[in-house]
Amino acid sequence: MDQNNPTLRLAARARAADPDRYMCALFAAPHQRGALFALLLFNAEIARVREVVSEPMLGQIRLQWWREAIDEIYRGSGRRHEVADPLAEAIRTYGLTRSYFERLIDARETDLDDTPPESMAALEHYAEESAAPLVSLALEIAGADAGALADVARHTGIGWALTGLMRALPHHVAEGRVMLPQDVLAATGLTVQTVRGGEARANIARAVEKVADVARQHSHEARVLRRPLPRAAKRATLQAILSGAYLRRLAACGHDPTDPRATLGPLYRQLLLTRAALFGA
């Protein structure tokens, strides 16, 4: 790899930070990929805030830093930073909408609270705010009218985020965080304590299945809505293809996210995405 090529450096970092979305970004037009990689790195920065701070106040400070960085970019200045610099270039080149960045940052404040979402509706809202704006930004880079395609972005983002949350349940529990809604916990005879303790695995699987069913509905709707779109817009929403595949694999494993078979190998993911990108699925 040519270490003097900025796009290749961004690509390597985006691949490490977000392998699935990175793989989707490779199907964009070559001149658009650098901007997509910058978006992925920005999203990774705010998504990992909880993991790198020792208390919520420090997380708030980090998120505020990004609010100010975004504000400076849109005011025509900016601060030197390995992610903020290429992000500023992407914003200027493609005229990206500021409110999408603000929604992404605001959503990450939820990550600083250990309290499970109150309801399935609350979890869906978090999934939308933490993922759909990123899809809208990718659509803008692809030259699409993201406002007109808000429903596609919404369903793609929610389906992707809910799928990821269930797949990441063991990781989140290890951090002391349970991303199963309180109404789902109650309906499956669970408490935060039993989930953290790893007891009642059958009950946990039923809870995961309830969330996965909602994710499946959104993923299906996203795939329906993207069928008539131009090729560039379809490729900006390829996450819908992967989320559907992950959900099928999770179901085949009894909705047990600890099952090592509940994942997709890189070659299979590449095959799914290549087929969808070439044949317009």
Side-chain angles (χ1 to χ4, degrees):
M1 179 179 293
D2 181 1
Q3 295 299 320
N4 293 319
N5 186 314
T7 300
L8 290 180
R9 291 200 302 271
L10 281 176
R13 294 174 56 209
R15 181 180 183 182
D18 194 339
D20 281 334
R21 286 191 179 106
Y22 163 80
M23 197 172 288
C24 293
L26 293 180
F27 292 92
H31 68 278
Q32 297 170 350
R33 292 173 193 163
L36 291 170
F37 297 151
L39 283 184
L40 296 186
L41 290 172
F42 160 75
N43 188 62
E45 284 284 321
I46 60 173
R48 72 186 186 98
V49 163
R50 176 191 165 90
E51 299 180 5
V52 300
V53 299
S54 57
E55 56 184 87
M57 181 59 70
L58 296 177
Q60 293 283 3
I61 292 171
R62 281 179 175 261
L63 292 176
Q64 183 59 30
W65 188 95
W66 276 107
R67 287 191 184 92
E68 294 171 358
I70 294 296
D71 178 65
E72 290 174 7
I73 291 171
Y74 278 93
R75 286 193 289 108
S77 55
R79 53 187 68 182
R80 301 296 298 173
H81 184 271
E82 60 184 358
V83 174
D85 285 347
L87 187 65
E89 182 178 351
I91 288 171
R92 288 192 293 265
T93 300
Y94 294 97
L96 301 180
T97 301
R98 176 174 178 167
S99 62
Y100 294 138
F101 292 101
E102 293 170 341
R103 287 171 60 192
L104 289 168
I105 296 171
D106 289 347
R108 291 302 171 179
E109 289 191 6
T110 303
D111 295 345
L112 304 176
D113 185 357
D114 288 340
T115 306
E118 181 178 345
S119 64
M120 189 66 236
L123 183 61
E124 284 181 273
H125 178 72
Y126 167 76
E128 177 178 358
E129 293 302 295
S130 63
L134 199 64
V135 179
S136 295
L137 289 165
L139 284 166
E140 289 190 333
I141 290 173
D145 182 348
L149 299 178
D151 283 346
V152 178
R154 177 177 180 273
H155 289 295
T156 299
I158 295 176
W160 178 257
L162 291 180
T163 302
L165 286 170
M166 293 306 96
R167 294 179 58 234
L169 184 66
H171 172 72
H172 288 152
V173 169
E175 292 184 333
R177 187 180 182 208
V178 175
M179 289 301 289
L180 290 168
Q182 294 179 38
D183 56 358
V184 171
L185 292 174
T188 51
L190 293 167
T191 66
V192 171
Q193 289 71 29
T194 55
V195 175
R196 287 176 177 169
E199 300 123 11
R201 290 184 62 180
N203 297 55
I204 294 174
R206 286 198 295 272
V208 170
E209 183 177 8
K210 286 182 177 294
V211 178
D213 284 344
V214 176
R216 194 170 292 110
Q217 294 168 16
H218 286 287
S219 182
H220 172 74
E221 188 64 24
R223 291 196 299 275
V224 170
L225 290 172
R226 61 192 293 279
R227 282 173 191 161
L229 298 182
R231 174 171 291 188
K234 282 185 177 181
R235 293 188 174 188
T237 56
L238 279 172
Q239 295 166 45
I241 303 300
L242 283 186
S243 60
Y246 275 123
L247 289 166
R248 290 191 295 273
R249 186 63 60 87
L250 188 60
C253 296
H255 292 96
D256 178 4
T258 66
D259 192 321
R261 297 172 299 168
T263 188
L264 302 173
L267 291 180
Y268 183 56
R269 281 178 284 160
Q270 185 172 10
L271 175 63
L272 286 174
L273 293 172
T274 300
R275 184 172 60 191
L278 292 180
F279 298 105

